[in-house]
């Protein structure tokens, strides 16, 4: 009864099926899981040591709301040095992962009934946050344009209520890196219609191409660009809940209040560890992922699956359209009949794909792909009436 009196927006939220399928895999004896987007190694010890030291030194008190000044200075330096993105410590808010950074950004820019354009396939979080803000997610399906953004299609979705576009490159779940024509289309659209562009670049350190460009490289849209970053993926720090956002000063001055009233600050014992993380070079890890990526891609193509070559992150998004089964059914059957778990594409807005992640050990990958091969072999046999 009291439940009915709750904020109606919470009833429109969807529980993430990514975790549901990961759980299903766990409950199925012997099942191999290629579901979660989580590095399979531990946080590097240089980073862990810093946190221990901070705790031992009693660095356990309230700190500046936006994160320690030393950390924000280091982030500004890192962004300039590594990515040519010039900003100052004053523009940075250290957040509880990219998740909070996205929440703060969207809550900070959206009025009720505003519209946010989200290119899909996309990470589930954006749409759910937009709903919590009482705004509307407008999905731009990029499947037919090779997961790139078609300018005409983008323009076609803009209304007088459009407030922002969310970009994610490299993309979860496809691994696609947005090309210059996509980025330019967004730039023009943002300039013409005064839109915010929220750049979720959390996989930026995991790119396997030389032709990567971030939207943040455009200097003429800096007054409307918010960069969202995370420590989770490049440094295997998913459980630390650390990330940051960088916004134009006048926008950040309001966003910092949203952040303050949600979490006050990120944990004080993690400030130096996060600083140390930026000195850690994830190159070794990246080459491990690069090898696994080549292996998985070759295997999937040999199986005759249509799969776009991912240029970043650690996901692949093969099409299952030819089997004529929706993605949730496909994944459920694959768990039951072949002992392999993947994530249904429907979780990302595309029902004729599945998402496989390759941040798993070589042994798990080989076993998983063997099982996939025999499962689709059986499906093909059945389709052929065998
Ligand atoms: N954005 C994307 C595209 C992601 O894939 C994830 C995590 N899976 C996040 C944001 C959230 O990252 P964090 O752990 O920093 O909250």
């Amino acid at each position: 009864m009291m439940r009915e009196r709750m904020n109606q927006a919470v009833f429109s939220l969807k529980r993430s099926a990514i975790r549901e399928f990961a759980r299903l895999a766990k409950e199925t004896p012997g099942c191999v899981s290629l579901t979660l987007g989580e590095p399979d190694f531990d946080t590097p010890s240089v980073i862990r040591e810093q946190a221990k030291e901070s705790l031992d030194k009693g660095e356990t008190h309230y700190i500046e709301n936006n994160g320690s000044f030393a950390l924000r200075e280091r982030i500004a330096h890192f962004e300039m040095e590594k990515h040519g993105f010039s900003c100052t410590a004053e523009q940075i808010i250290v957040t509880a992962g990219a998740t909070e950074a996205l929440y703060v950004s969207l809550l900070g820019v959206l009025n009720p009934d505003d519209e946010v354009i989200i290119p899909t396939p996309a990470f589930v979080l954006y749409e759910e946050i937009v709903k919590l803000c009482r705004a509307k997610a407008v999905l731009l399906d990029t499947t037919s344009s090779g997961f790139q953004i078609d300018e005409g299609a983008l323009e076609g979705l803009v209304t007088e209520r459009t407030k922002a576009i969310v970009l994610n490159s490299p993309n979860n779940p496809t691994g696609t890196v947005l090309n210059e024509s996509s980025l330019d289309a967004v730039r023009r659209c943002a300039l013409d219609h005064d839109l915010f562009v929220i750049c979720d670049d959390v996989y930026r350190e995991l790119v396997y191409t030389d032709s990567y460009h971030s939207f943040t490289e455009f200097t003429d849209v800096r007054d409307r660009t918010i960069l969202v970053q995370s420590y989770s993926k490049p440094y295997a720090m998913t459980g630390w809940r650390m990330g940051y956002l960088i916004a134009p000063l006048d926008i950040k001055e309001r966003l910092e209040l949203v952040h303050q009233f949600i979490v006050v600050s990120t944990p004080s014992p993690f400030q130096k560890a996060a600083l140390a993380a930026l000195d850690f070079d994830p190159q070794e890890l990246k080459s491990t992922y690069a090898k696994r990526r080549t292996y998985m891609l070759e295997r999937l193509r040999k199986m005759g699956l249509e799969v776009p070559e991912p240029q970043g992150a650690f996901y692949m998004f093969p099409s299952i359209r030819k089997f004529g089964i929706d993605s949730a059914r496909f994944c459920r059957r694959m768990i039951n009949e072949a002992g392999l778990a993947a994530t249904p594409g429907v979780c990302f807005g595309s029902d004729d794909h599945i998402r496989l992640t390759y941040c798993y050990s070589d042994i798990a990958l080989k076993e998983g792909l063997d099982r996939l091969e025999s499962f689709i072999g059986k499906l093909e046999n059945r389709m052929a009436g065998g």
Side-chain angles (χ1 to χ4, degrees):
M1 152 65 175
M2 288 313 288
R3 207 177 129 93
E4 284 152 32
R5 293 179 52 76
M6 287 177 76
N7 177 350
Q8 281 306 306
V10 303
F11 294 106
S12 64
L13 298 178
K14 283 185 295 207
R15 216 172 277 280
S16 166
I18 305 179
R19 288 190 173 270
E20 183 198 322
F21 275 80
R23 186 180 43 84
L24 219 61
K26 253 196 184 150
E27 288 167 5
T28 309
C31 187
V32 172
S33 176
L34 303 181
T35 51
L36 284 184
E38 160 140 67
D40 67 326
F41 57 93
D42 292 326
T43 307
S45 65
V46 282
I47 302 172
R48 283 185 275 140
E49 286 308 319
Q50 277 298 336
K52 286 187 205 162
E53 216 171 278
S54 290
L55 282 170
D56 288 342
K57 281 191 183 151
E59 290 166 8
T60 53
H61 299 274
Y62 281 134
I63 53 164
E64 298 100 305
N65 295 119
N66 294 335
S68 82
F69 187 68
L71 174 56
R72 284 180 288 126
E73 287 255 89
R74 180 70 187 94
I75 292 171
H77 186 248
F78 171 84
E79 288 293 337
M80 185 63 211
E81 186 186 50
K82 197 141 186 216
H83 301 288
F85 182 67
S86 88
C87 63
T88 62
E90 282 70 31
Q91 289 175 255
I92 298 169
I93 304 175
V94 180
T95 56
T99 303
E100 195 228 339
L102 287 161
Y103 191 81
V104 166
S105 304
L106 287 163
L107 196 66
V109 305
L110 294 176
N111 285 317
D113 300 326
D114 277 351
E115 294 174 4
V116 182
I117 297 178
I118 302 171
T120 59
F123 185 46
V124 280
L125 190 60
Y126 313 135
E127 200 177 333
E128 303 307 307
I129 296 177
V130 169
K131 284 189 214 159
L132 274 178
C133 296
R134 301 250 176 192
K136 187 176 160 208
V138 176
L139 307 181
L140 168 62
D141 186 359
T142 63
T143 317
S144 61
S145 48
F147 303 127
Q148 296 294 337
I149 294 170
D150 175 77
E151 185 153 13
L154 174 65
E155 278 294 332
L157 293 181
V158 176
T159 72
E160 58 194 21
R161 289 229 164 257
T162 311
K163 181 62 78 64
I165 303 173
V166 180
L167 293 186
N168 176 217
S169 172
N171 174 275
N172 175 8
T174 66
T176 305
V177 160
L178 290 176
N179 61 23
E180 288 181 53
S181 130
S182 293
L183 296 175
D184 228 26
V186 175
R187 174 180 152 271
R188 273 192 293 271
C189 188
L191 283 173
D192 288 352
H193 306 284
D194 285 338
L195 308 180
F196 287 100
V197 179
I198 298 170
C199 293
D200 177 345
D201 281 5
V202 302
Y203 295 102
R204 188 183 56 180
E205 307 303 324
L206 302 174
V207 169
Y208 317 103
T209 165
D210 292 334
S211 60
Y212 173 74
H213 291 285
S214 165
F215 187 82
T216 58
E217 288 169 30
F218 293 128
T219 48
D220 57 351
V221 278
R222 287 298 300 272
D223 65 339
R224 55 201 72 195
T225 303
I226 302 175
L227 171 66
V228 167
Q229 263 306 349
S230 171
Y231 286 91
S232 292
K233 316 288 168 163
Y235 314 111
M237 289 174 69
T238 48
W240 294 63
R241 311 307 310 132
M242 292 290 281
Y244 55 88
L245 68 81
I246 307 181
L249 206 51
D250 59 337
I251 307 292
K252 174 260 175 187
E253 277 178 349
R254 290 282 115 187
L255 295 185
E256 71 186 1
L257 296 177
V258 181
H259 165 73
Q260 180 179 340
F261 298 137
I262 296 176
V263 296
V264 180
S265 80
T266 46
S268 45
F270 292 174
Q271 305 296 302
K272 286 186 181 157
L275 202 151
L278 298 181
D279 291 325
F280 178 83
D281 184 0
Q283 186 53 44
E284 199 182 312
L285 193 159
K286 208 171 99 174
S287 15
T288 307
Y289 288 148
K291 274 188 223 137
R292 293 176 184 173
R293 165 181 166 272
T294 308
Y295 173 69
M296 185 180 260
L297 193 62
E298 268 176 26
R299 292 276 322 254
L300 294 180
R301 291 203 164 143
K302 255 191 211 147
M303 291 177 211
L305 289 175
E306 191 190 309
V307 55
E309 178 171 335
Q311 293 149 323
F314 33 52
Y315 306 106
M316 282 196 204
F317 207 53
S319 169
I320 54 157
R321 167 173 263 161
K322 65 177 179 182
F323 302 108
I325 315 176
D326 68 66
S327 61
R329 237 181 106 210
F330 185 95
C331 288
R332 232 171 249 122
R333 277 183 60 181
M334 193 161 70
I335 293 177
N336 292 333
E337 295 175 28
L340 172 65
T343 310
V346 68
C347 298
F348 310 96
S350 176
D351 209 9
D352 44 19
H353 291 82
I354 58 167
R355 187 190 76 172
L356 298 165
T357 72
Y358 52 90
C359 50
Y360 288 93
S361 73
D362 295 349
I363 298 172
L365 280 188
K366 179 175 182 310
E367 182 59 33
L369 290 164
D370 286 349
R371 292 182 186 196
L372 177 65
E373 191 169 0
S374 75
F375 178 63
I376 63 174
K378 270 189 234 157
L379 288 182
E380 275 162 356
N381 250 342
R382 257 177 252 163
M383 277 161 53

